[in-house]
């Protein structure tokens, strides 16, 4: 939740990215030299300063604690200048702490939770080479890969690691939806293989949605850079920039004109790619493409027919239509803690439809 809160902040304030990246580098240096107990004590001091918004008065009141932290730094050989910097950019450091974590710490989390995973379905899992994992309807899973990368899988998805993962490249196969936080490896690109295209990265954060049977698939980039590599056509490579998404459709072909100046299109036989900016949610700050990570079901001007599969995956139900007219009702909404019945009743405020459910989680919708 913290990672996405701050990444959404950067989406709204891209001019702050340089400062955050500098703080990120600073935090990595700290984590390399401080013991775990010392880090806890240090972060506690910084956190208290953050809560007081680091006013001059608060800084003076914490002078003794900062001095103790400096003494620890001398014992560990950290240059004095680092802690002068820490006192001056404490707020940014704390921001960066929630954005990043060292690979060593992430691996430690894996080791401590791997044995508990069978008892707690929400615990992170460590996926070994040639490993396979699947989620059911209404289920999410957190996965750590052998290189330290983290994957969060959405409902009704499957992920398979290539048997040669990490040797020349880090290759995974995805069907469904997942968010990737990829560990940087300069000489080992990370490749997500999908039905109609591949996503190639070095180290970045992005979301991929590619379900079998869906008319379109999407790759939404939050941070870094990715390359979309199509498996058909002569024009088969496209680079995404942060806060852009690639919408890949297999139902059209040839050239098309697009009125929106923010969108650019490249078409190849049977496949078209539309590059769009990420969609801002109804609250004006969240991002629709990654809303599921915060347990938000985002509906953005979609027909009931388009929503059918999304609702089935989210709630683990089966939906059928008794009237064709209902399929074309359009909705925009955001659901978080609502049950399927509560969500449908809220949708009834837009269009007067009826629905009924049975004991087998089957829902029929009609006029």
């Amino acid at each position: 939740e913290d990672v996405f809160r701050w990444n959404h902040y950067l989406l709204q304030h891209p001019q702050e990215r340089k400062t955050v990246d500098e703080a990120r580098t600073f935090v990595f240096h700290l984590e390399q030299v401080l013991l775990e107990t010392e880090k806890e004590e240090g972060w506690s001091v910084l956190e208290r300063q953050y809560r007081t918004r680091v006013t001059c008065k608060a800084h003076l009141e914490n002078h003794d604690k900062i001095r103790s932290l400096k003494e620890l730094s001398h014992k560990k050989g950290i240059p004095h200048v680092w802690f002068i910097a820490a006192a001056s950019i404490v707020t940014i450091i704390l921001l960066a702490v929630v954005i990043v974590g060292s690979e060593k710490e992430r691996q430690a989390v894996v080791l401590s939770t791997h044995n508990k995973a069978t008892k707690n379905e929400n615990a992170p899992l460590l996926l070994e080479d040639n490993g396979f994992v699947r989620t059911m309807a209404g289920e999410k899973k957190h996965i750590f890969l052998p290189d330290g990368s983290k994957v969060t899988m959405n409902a009704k998805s499957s992920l398979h690691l290539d048997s040669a993962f990490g040797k020349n490249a880090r290759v995974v196969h995805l069907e469904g939806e997942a968010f990737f936080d990829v560990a940087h490896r300069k000489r080992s690109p990370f490749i997500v293989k999908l039905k109609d295209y591949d996503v190639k990265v070095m180290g970045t954060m992005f979301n991929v949605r590619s379900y079998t049977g869906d008319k379109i698939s999407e790759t939404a980039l939050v941070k870094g850079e990715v390359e979309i590599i199509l498996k058909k056509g002569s024009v088969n490579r496209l680079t995404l920039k942060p806060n852009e998404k690639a919408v890949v459709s297999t139902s059209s072909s040839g050239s098309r004109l697009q009125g929106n100046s923010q969108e650019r299109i490249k078409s190849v036989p049977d496949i078209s790619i539309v590059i769009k900016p990420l969609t801002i949610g109804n609250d004006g700050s969240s991002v629709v493409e990654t809303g599921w990570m915060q347990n938000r079901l985002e509906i953005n001007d979609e027909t009931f027919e388009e929503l059918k599969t999304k609702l089935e995956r989210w709630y683990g139900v089966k939906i059928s239509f008794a009237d064709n007219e209902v399929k074309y009702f359009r909705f925009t909404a955001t659901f978080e803690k609502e049950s399927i019945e509560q969500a449908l009743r809220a949708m009834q405020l837009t269009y007067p439809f009826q629905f009924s459910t049975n004991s087998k989680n089957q829902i029929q919708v009609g006029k």
Side-chain angles (χ1 to χ4, degrees), residues 317-320 339-342 344-345 354-365:
V317 298
K318 287 292 183 181
I319 298 175
S320 61
S339 65
I340 181 62
E341 290 82 6
Q342 291 172 326
L344 290 172
R345 282 196 289 270
Q354 304 296 323
F355 69 92
S356 60
T357 62
N358 62 25
S359 57
K360 296 181 180 181
N361 286 330
Q362 296 174 333
I363 299 174
Q364 187 176 67
V365 179

Side-chain angles (χ1 to χ4, degrees), residues 76-243:
K76 293 297 169 185
I78 302 175
H80 181 75
V81 68
W82 282 109
F83 285 90
I84 296 176
S88 62
I89 63 167
V90 56
T91 304
I92 298 299
I93 293 174
L94 284 167
L95 181 148
V97 166
V98 299
I99 295 178
V100 299
S102 68
E103 180 179 332
K104 183 177 180 180
E105 285 185 322
R106 286 195 283 185
Q107 294 289 358
V109 172
V110 173
L111 294 174
S112 64
T113 58
H114 181 54
N115 293 332
K116 301 176 183 178
T118 55
K119 299 179 181 179
N120 181 2
E121 63 179 11
N122 294 320
L125 301 174
L126 177 59
L127 194 61
E128 303 288 355
D129 294 356
N130 208 31
F132 178 83
V133 63
R134 174 182 287 134
T135 56
M136 305 301 288
E139 181 185 25
K140 298 182 183 69
K141 285 185 179 179
H142 302 284
I143 312 298
F144 282 96
L145 306 185
D147 66 336
S149 297
K150 181 180 178 181
V151 183
T152 303
M153 297 175 59
N154 204 354
K156 297 196 75 172
S157 302
S158 62
L159 184 72
H160 174 224
L161 258 65
D162 192 85
S163 58
F165 183 89
K167 292 182 179 179
N168 295 314
R170 295 169 290 167
V171 179
V172 301
H173 304 262
L174 174 70
E175 196 286 316
E177 183 168 24
F179 185 89
F180 294 85
D181 182 359
V182 178
H184 182 74
R185 292 287 185 275
K186 187 176 181 179
R187 299 181 180 179
S188 181
F190 191 99
I191 300 173
V192 182
K193 287 192 168 292
L194 307 168
K195 179 183 178 182
D196 297 306
Y197 64 99
D198 297 340
V199 182
K200 180 180 179 181
V201 304
M202 299 304 293
T204 188
M205 301 174 72
F206 60 99
N207 190 81
V208 177
R209 177 166 58 84
S210 181
Y211 284 98
T212 299
D214 283 6
K215 294 180 180 180
I216 63 172
S217 62
E218 290 186 356
T219 297
L221 182 61
V222 174
K223 180 181 179 182
E225 185 175 288
V226 303
E227 185 179 32
I228 306 297
I229 306 174
L230 294 176
K231 297 180 180 179
K232 296 180 181 179
S234 56
V235 181
N236 62 351
R237 289 178 181 267
L238 194 66
T239 300
L240 276 184
K241 298 177 181 179
N243 306 326

Side-chain angles (χ1 to χ4, degrees), residues 17-70:
R17 185 171 297 278
K18 181 179 179 181
T19 305
V20 172
D21 286 342
E22 290 175 353
R24 179 177 182 269
T25 301
F26 179 83
V27 171
F28 276 134
H29 279 281
L30 286 180
E31 291 186 340
Q32 289 172 3
V33 294
L34 288 179
L35 296 176
E36 190 67 32
T37 54
E38 294 167 343
K39 282 194 290 185
E40 289 299 323
E41 181 178 351
W43 292 131
S44 295
V45 173
L46 298 180
E47 197 171 34
R48 284 193 288 274
Q49 288 190 344
Y50 176 78
R51 289 170 181 166
T52 58
R53 297 188 181 275
V54 203
T55 62
C56 293
K57 182 178 179 181
H59 179 74
L60 291 174
E61 289 174 350
N62 287 296
H63 177 72
D64 291 339
K65 294 175 181 178
I66 292 294
R67 184 169 55 189
S68 298
L69 193 57
K70 290 179 182 178

